[in-house]
Amino acid sequence: MTNYRTLITRDIGEKAIASIQKISEVDVWLESTPPSAEQIKQSLKDVDALVCMLTDPISREIIESAPKLKVISQMAVGTDNIDVAFATQKKIPVGHTPDVLSNTTADFAFALLLAVARRVVESHNAVHQGNWQPWGPYVWSGHDVTGSTIGIIGMGRIGQAMARRAAGFDMKILYHSRTRKPEIENKLDAEFLSLDALLERSDFISLHTFLSEDTHHLINKKSFQLMKENAILINTARGAVVDQKALIDALQSGKIAGAGLDVSDPEPIHPTDPLLNLPNVVITPHIGSASIQTRKRMAMMMAENVTAALSGKEIPYCANPQVYS
Ligand code: NAP
Ligand code: GLV
Ligand code: GLV
């Protein structure tokens, strides 16, 4: 046994922990709520590897509090909670979990899309409250999904998985991304548009960008003005990609028809947030990748990243490969 130390900020499961224990002593934060920034900071002094979650703010200050740190290994594909630029400057590889969760997350985004379009949660709640309205010609009528137009913003791994699902529903696929992707356009019969043109033409708008300075409030007051009145916004990316105040205004004023949100700004959402009183909004607590199978695979990927780094090897799932050049 070496004298490495690894801090794991949540219980990631026996198998992944045992795999890290082959190379390092391990401290696991066993509580069901995340540690605070201060608690992480205090635990990092002698730590060689940090296994963290997207709820952990891994700032420059936190990274600086860990002089021995050789790897940051996160249980998520998005790394916006980590100061990756500073980690790169310090030559610390940042591990993440791409690809393995793309289908699982797109399944969930599509579940939200169907749920909002067809009023699944609203009508379910009514039934549970004793209000089963008898079948009627227009009772609980929603919006058709099959044959409608979807606008995918961020045609990356999850955006493409979403497009494949949309194709199965005979949807017209529009997309906007930083770069145009001719191969995907051919394969999925997808049309590249400017952001504004996509917003004007889509019945469903699904967000799949990472969060960055460029994508912060990418969907804002002006965006909602461009959308159709029947538009439904699906966000499984990050809460701050949307100006949530503008979203609330758009929903309350009937500017758009509904929203399906797996993410919020902030998380958890405040219990008095007006979004929670809107019947045409389905909100889930950031569970897009939460299938048992995918979460177990993600945990093993994080363990692989840690064992590689502590063995002096390049980590296999790296968000900042520049550290190796
Ligand atoms: P990815 O492959 O890196 O895809 C992100 C896409 O966003 C890229 O295709 C990129 O475009 C595009 N993009 C970046 N900046 C943009 C901009 N300003 N305008 C338009 N498009 C822009 O990442 P992924 O694996 O699909 O994951 C995407 C994000 O989903 C993650 O970062 C995370 O925030 C979120 N996520 C959420 C859950 C959940 O539980 N709800 C689960 C997994 C992931 P180009 O390729 O054209 O450069
Ligand atoms: C989840 O939100 C992820 O980024 O993996
Ligand atoms: C509905 O249940 C139908 O039979 O159309």
Side-chain angles (χ1 to χ4, degrees):
M1 172 63 92
T2 58
N3 48 9
Y4 290 133
R5 292 189 73 80
T6 298
L7 173 69
I8 309 182
T9 65
R10 301 298 277 283
D11 186 356
I12 60 170
E14 258 171 55
K15 197 171 160 205
I17 292 173
S19 148
I20 296 173
Q21 278 169 332
K22 288 187 191 145
I23 194 163
S24 170
E25 282 180 35
V26 168
D27 294 319
V28 185
W29 179 265
L30 285 170
E31 301 186 25
S32 60
T33 50
S36 67
E38 195 49 43
Q39 283 162 327
I40 297 175
K41 201 171 137 186
Q42 279 168 10
S43 316
L44 275 180
K45 201 158 73 71
D46 296 318
V47 158
D48 301 277
L50 170 64
V51 171
C52 58
M53 312 293 134
L54 55 83
T55 42
D56 302 324
I58 310 301
S59 61
R60 175 186 182 125
E61 193 191 344
I62 288 205
I63 296 170
E64 278 175 334
S65 70
K68 293 184 178 173
L69 197 62
K70 294 165 188 61
V71 62
I72 299 169
S73 179
Q74 161 142 296
M75 189 170 196
V77 65
T79 53
D80 50 278
N81 58 307
I82 301 171
D83 190 336
V84 179
F86 184 64
T88 306
Q89 198 184 311
K90 300 281 284 182
K91 294 270 180 230
I92 299 171
V94 175
H96 68 151
T97 60
D99 297 310
V100 65
L101 47 57
S102 299
N103 283 323
T104 306
T105 306
D107 284 349
F108 197 80
F110 219 87
L112 284 176
L113 185 157
L114 287 167
V116 180
R118 297 301 307 279
R119 309 181 69 181
V120 174
V121 176
E122 236 183 309
S123 60
H124 165 97
N125 288 343
V127 171
H128 274 251
Q129 286 154 13
N131 288 327
W132 179 307
Q133 271 179 276
W135 193 97
Y138 296 102
V139 170
W140 290 118
S141 303
H143 299 270
D144 265 331
V145 173
T146 297
S148 66
T149 296
I150 188 168
I152 292 176
I153 300 177
M155 194 56 116
R157 291 169 289 241
I158 301 171
Q160 289 168 43
M162 188 67 174
R164 290 195 296 272
R165 281 150 184 76
F169 281 74
D170 295 333
M171 292 169 100
K172 165 82 187 154
I173 300 168
L174 311 175
Y175 81 99
H176 175 74
S177 215
R178 267 187 317 196
T179 48
R180 202 173 159 170
K181 300 170 193 305
E183 264 175 50
I184 290 161
E185 286 173 29
N186 292 334
K187 206 160 70 186
L188 290 165
D189 196 15
E191 184 182 344
F192 180 82
L193 289 179
S194 71
L195 180 59
D196 286 1
L198 176 146
L199 297 174
E200 280 169 354
R201 282 178 52 190
S202 302
D203 301 310
F204 297 91
I205 294 157
S206 193
L207 306 180
H208 299 285
T209 65
F210 46 75
L211 177 61
S212 66
E213 271 177 35
D214 289 341
T215 62
H216 184 267
H217 289 195
L218 184 68
I219 301 300
N220 50 47
K221 189 170 177 201
K222 179 181 149 247
S223 322
F224 292 111
Q225 278 156 2
L226 295 172
M227 290 181 197
K228 292 162 84 164
E229 268 188 16
N230 66 301
I232 289 174
L233 178 71
I234 305 301
N235 189 6
T236 57
R238 284 289 182 270
V241 175
V242 176
D243 177 345
Q244 200 153 298
K245 167 91 180 48
L247 170 64
I248 293 165
D249 288 346
L251 288 163
Q252 283 176 336
S253 64
K255 185 66 210 71
I256 65 168
L261 309 171
D262 185 45
V263 289
S264 166
D265 181 21
E267 288 180 14
I269 197 167
H270 194 274
T272 63
D273 192 294
L275 279 175
L276 302 181
N277 291 323
L278 291 166
N280 49 347
V281 175
V282 175
I283 305 194
T284 50
H286 204 147
I287 58 172
S289 71
S291 73
I292 293 161
Q293 297 89 335
T294 292
R295 287 292 167 82
K296 284 186 172 168
R297 286 189 208 112
M298 289 163 72
M300 292 314 291
M301 286 168 86
M302 289 193 298
E304 278 182 63
N305 276 336
V306 170
T307 50
L310 297 185
S311 312
K313 297 185 192 137
E314 289 193 13
I315 67 168
Y317 313 107
C318 190
N320 59 345
Q322 314 89 293
V323 290
Y324 297 119
S325 56

